[in-house]
Amino acid sequence: MSKVASTTFRDSLSVSLTVGAYGVAFGAASVANGFSVLQSCLLSLLTFSGASQFAVVGVMGAGGNPISAIATASLLGVRNGLYGVIMAPRLKVRGLKRVITAQITIDESTGVALNQESRGADAMRHGFYLTGFGVFLFWNIFTLAGALGAQAMGDIRAWGLDAAVPAAFLGLVWPRLVSNRDRAIAISAVALALALTPILPAGLPIIATAFIAIVIGLRP
Amino acid sequence: MSALWVATIGTSVIAFLLKYSGHSIPERFLSNPKIQRINALIPIALLSALVGVQTITEKTKLMVDHRLAGVGVAVIALILKAPFPIVVLSAAITSAAIYNWF
């Protein structure tokens, strides 16, 4: 491996630490929604995709069945596949290396890699792997910390964790609300999910809102 | 196997297959701009729906309680461009205060 530029290293480390620290929120949310500490840690190790992980614990916590939880999480995981499509020609890996590379193909590793584009192919590769492994390390450590912390709390409502969880989702979606169209989608999704809640089994109202994204995305 | 285990393992397997398939299929299959656009919009819809459901529902009923106050404060924190930990903490403190004192 050629020498890592200090700017690439700095970018990767700061993203890894900040994003990894969100793992506390996931670990706590997971336990607050009924998952065990072991299941919470396995989700962070194996699923390793924040939005999907929050979705699966959110849907199960709302009383949904595993099929709707898996479907919601998987819809959110499709974008990692798209990142793979972008990164594959730039990383060119096979076999076991491809398996490991795929596992760390997430928002952050792809984002940092693409930010290094002007610094050349090596910088992109370094940014991808440093950020991918860095987020993986910190995300898993902080998940364990958050899960153990929530487990020690007892009544999570007395600690405000039942509001911290939706606030954490909100913090995830907020930076994506750039245009008026984005905000309109967000508000109609909330309205649709709430309107369907008394009618449909838990979990389905959430996944039903994907149709809003599909309908609006198909318009020219 | 319990429902939570099915959800944990099932989500993990599909999450990996989605990531791996991206590295293994030709770029042209997913270069359609409509697919790209829908893909960018889906997280907005699903995550917003999760915020709503986790804030004002209980099982299959709508319920307004301390959680809504907490998330309301989180909205204010986000409008004021507070960092993520402050957003989450301010929601937790508000909600816990109302739950414990009223």
Side-chain angles (χ1 to χ4, degrees):
Chain A
M1 213 180 197
S2 48
K3 197 174 171 299
V4 178
S6 63
T7 42
T8 307
F9 186 79
R10 214 170 43 234
D11 286 2
S12 304
L13 188 68
S14 65
V15 169
S16 302
L17 267 174
T18 350
V19 174
Y22 290 14
V24 167
F26 170 71
S30 180
V31 167
N33 281 303
F35 284 74
S36 68
V37 174
L38 174 63
Q39 287 164 337
S40 309
C41 290
L42 284 176
L43 277 170
S44 280
L45 284 165
L46 302 175
T47 299
F48 188 51
S49 186
S52 298
Q53 292 177 230
F54 272 109
V56 70
V57 301
V59 172
M60 292 305 287
N65 68 39
I67 304 294
S68 15
I70 294 169
T72 308
S74 302
L75 274 175
L76 288 165
V78 170
R79 70 184 190 295
N80 293 326
L82 298 181
Y83 296 151
V85 175
I86 299 168
M87 293 312 298
R90 296 172 161 96
L91 299 170
K92 295 192 186 75
V93 283
R94 327 200 126 266
L96 182 62
K97 271 190 187 163
R98 184 184 284 183
V99 171
I100 295 167
T101 301
Q103 180 65 354
I104 59 165
T105 303
I106 52 170
D107 293 327
E108 293 78 18
S109 52
T110 310
V112 171
L114 296 179
N115 272 344
Q116 313 297 316
E117 199 149 27
S118 61
R119 298 188 185 119
D122 277 348
M124 281 185 87
R125 214 175 54 244
H126 296 156
F128 180 88
Y129 286 107
L130 281 173
T131 310
F133 288 126
V135 174
F136 190 82
L137 177 71
F138 292 119
W139 179 255
N140 281 289
I141 292 172
F142 281 107
T143 296
L144 177 63
L148 291 174
Q151 197 186 37
M153 281 179 190
D155 181 5
I156 57 142
R157 289 172 299 182
W159 296 80
L161 202 53
D162 52 346
V165 173
F169 289 130
L170 190 63
L172 287 179
V173 74
W174 196 268
R176 296 176 188 270
L177 305 180
V178 182
S179 67
N180 281 333
R181 183 197 60 180
D182 301 336
R183 285 183 278 269
I185 292 172
I187 291 167
S188 18
V190 172
L192 180 64
L194 293 179
L196 293 176
T197 292
I199 309 166
L200 294 180
L204 294 184
I206 295 165
I207 202 161
T209 63
F211 287 105
I212 298 177
I214 293 168
V215 168
I216 296 188
L218 283 176
R219 292 191 340 183
Chain B
M1 197 157 66
S2 80
L4 293 178
W5 275 113
V6 174
T8 302
I9 305 295
T11 301
S12 297
V13 169
I14 296 181
F16 179 75
L17 291 177
L18 285 168
K19 289 172 177 170
Y20 192 80
S21 63
H23 282 270
S24 312
I25 55 173
E27 195 163 358
R28 62 189 157 84
F29 281 110
L30 292 170
S31 56
N32 183 321
K34 279 186 180 155
I35 302 239
Q36 305 265 358
R37 206 158 55 224
I38 291 171
N39 187 61
L41 297 181
I42 276 182
I44 295 179
L46 293 183
L47 292 173
S48 304
L50 271 165
V51 174
V53 166
Q54 294 248 322
T55 307
I56 34 185
T57 72
E58 184 72 55
K59 306 284 180 210
T60 57
K61 285 201 198 75
L62 299 184
M63 183 177 318
V64 172
D65 57 19
H66 51 279
R67 293 172 297 173
L68 183 59
V71 174
V73 170
V75 170
I76 297 170
L78 284 163
I79 291 172
L80 296 175
K81 302 190 192 303
F84 186 79
I86 303 293
V87 172
V88 175
L89 276 178
S90 63
I93 292 167
T94 309
S95 177
I98 293 175
Y99 179 79
N100 290 318
W101 283 320
F102 290 97

